[in-house]
Amino acid sequence: MRIDIVTIFPSFFDVLDLSLLGKARQSGLIEVVAHDLRDFTHDRHRTVDDTPYGGGAGMVMKPEPWGEALDAIVGDGDSDALLVVPSPAGEPFTQATARELAGEEHLVFACGRYEGIDQRVVDHYATRMRVRLISLGDYVLNGGEVAVMAMIEAAGRLVPGVVGNPESLVEESHEDGLLEYPSYTKPAVWRGLDVPPVLLSGHHGRVAEWRREQQVERTRRVRPELLGETPVDPAGRAPAED
Ligand code: ADE
């Protein structure tokens, strides 16, 4: 997978050298390049923003540097890459979105700052490639960088080969529509708190049942909307799929 990021803070993405994604980059599974938007300006101040037409507070990112930067990455014709524009006005980012991004060969992230990027940039590239506006959540960040970091981490770990043991991806929060069950390791007693005895029983069936109950209970308590209309069997079996 190839990932290009356009930002006014390319060094923000230096941390992608660390951890699992760092390894994936070293092994060539994922190639990440962060581009400085200011390299595509032509004035002395390397200006990337200007006042909004129609008035109002804040600044808007100028279309010209974006056009030059994105053309340098995808060429000046149609492209098979997916352009992702992080925006609080976008579709919500979910585990399903992460899976979709993980299936792409080439992702281009456009990190806006200030009041966002001139709308014509999205409108123009939408005629040449697929474009998705994606929101990390219902709150406003100072720019797209933190959102892109989260998207790259969530999608990158789903790229085959990035996480050593793919089984560890299966029993995670959101993979089956529920929150994950609580986990414990040694010692069996810590500060007077016991590990739930069923986990020491060695009985795989009962462990699976207990974990499922915990998932359902946690989800009902913290995120009831995830359960929706789906009937969940509290005895621990996943509802039958039609
Ligand atoms: N940029 C600013 N806020 C954002 C959000 N919530 N999601 C994605 N990008 C953003």
Side-chain angles (χ1 to χ4, degrees), residues 1-6 13 16 21 25 29-35 73 82 101-102 104-109 148 151-153 155-157 159:
M1 174 191 271
R2 159 93 185 195
I3 299 176
D4 288 283
I5 307 159
V6 184
F13 295 92
L16 289 173
L21 286 181
R25 289 177 74 182
L29 272 176
I30 301 182
E31 193 185 347
V32 184
V33 181
H35 308 261
I73 293 167
L82 174 66
L101 298 191
E104 294 286 336
E105 262 171 38
H106 187 188
L107 294 170
V108 181
F109 290 98
V148 166
M151 293 182 212
I152 290 176
E153 175 139 334
R157 63 197 293 284
V159 170

Side-chain angles (χ1 to χ4, degrees), residues 114-171:
Y114 318 115
E115 297 305 306
I117 304 171
D118 187 303
Q119 178 63 32
R120 290 168 294 181
V121 174
V122 164
D123 295 346
H124 171 78
Y125 284 95
T127 67
R128 294 172 43 193
M129 62 195 295
R130 291 165 300 138
V131 180
R132 286 175 79 169
L133 261 67
I134 302 182
S135 169
L136 205 59
D138 292 339
Y139 41 81
V140 178
L141 303 166
N142 284 334
E145 284 78 5
V146 166
V148 166
M149 200 65 141
M151 293 182 212
I152 290 176
E153 175 139 334
R157 63 197 293 284
L158 298 179
V159 170
V162 171
V163 170
N165 178 5
E167 273 184 31
S168 64
L169 299 175
V170 176
E171 297 198 358

Side-chain angles (χ1 to χ4, degrees), residues 157-241:
R157 63 197 293 284
L158 298 179
V159 170
V162 171
V163 170
N165 178 5
E167 273 184 31
S168 64
L169 299 175
V170 176
E171 297 198 358
E172 294 185 317
S173 287
H174 304 297
E175 276 302 331
D176 59 1
L178 298 172
L179 302 184
E180 69 189 349
Y181 51 77
S183 298
Y184 300 85
T185 185
K186 294 170 221 37
V189 184
W190 179 76
R191 297 193 177 180
L193 297 171
D194 294 335
V195 169
V198 62
L199 299 179
L200 309 177
S201 70
H203 192 297
H204 295 307
R206 283 214 294 271
V207 168
E209 199 172 311
W210 179 86
R211 285 179 167 166
R212 179 78 185 178
E213 283 166 8
Q214 293 291 313
Q215 283 192 279
V216 173
E217 201 283 316
R218 240 187 191 182
T219 308
R220 204 188 300 288
R221 185 164 34 89
V222 183
R223 298 288 304 279
E225 79 281 8
L226 292 179
L227 293 173
E229 301 297 307
T230 317
V232 179
D233 178 351
R237 285 168 291 275
E241 294 206 4

Side-chain angles (χ1 to χ4, degrees), residues 35-141:
H35 308 261
D36 188 344
L37 180 68
R38 294 193 196 277
D39 289 347
F40 299 90
T41 58
H42 302 286
D43 64 310
R44 210 156 51 88
H45 301 290
R46 303 183 13 118
T47 309
V48 293
D49 60 335
D50 208 334
T51 52
Y53 275 123
M59 301 289 269
V60 176
M61 293 190 110
K62 294 162 65 61
E64 304 97 316
W66 279 106
E68 288 195 30
L70 294 173
D71 283 357
I73 293 167
V74 302
D76 51 15
D78 291 351
S79 169
D80 289 334
L82 174 66
L83 176 61
V84 176
V85 182
S87 162
E91 53 172 310
F93 184 70
T94 65
Q95 188 67 12
T97 324
R99 265 195 301 274
E100 287 161 15
L101 298 191
E104 294 286 336
E105 262 171 38
H106 187 188
L107 294 170
V108 181
F109 290 98
C111 299
R113 283 259 144 187
Y114 318 115
E115 297 305 306
I117 304 171
D118 187 303
Q119 178 63 32
R120 290 168 294 181
V121 174
V122 164
D123 295 346
H124 171 78
Y125 284 95
T127 67
R128 294 172 43 193
M129 62 195 295
R130 291 165 300 138
V131 180
R132 286 175 79 169
L133 261 67
I134 302 182
S135 169
L136 205 59
D138 292 339
Y139 41 81
V140 178
L141 303 166

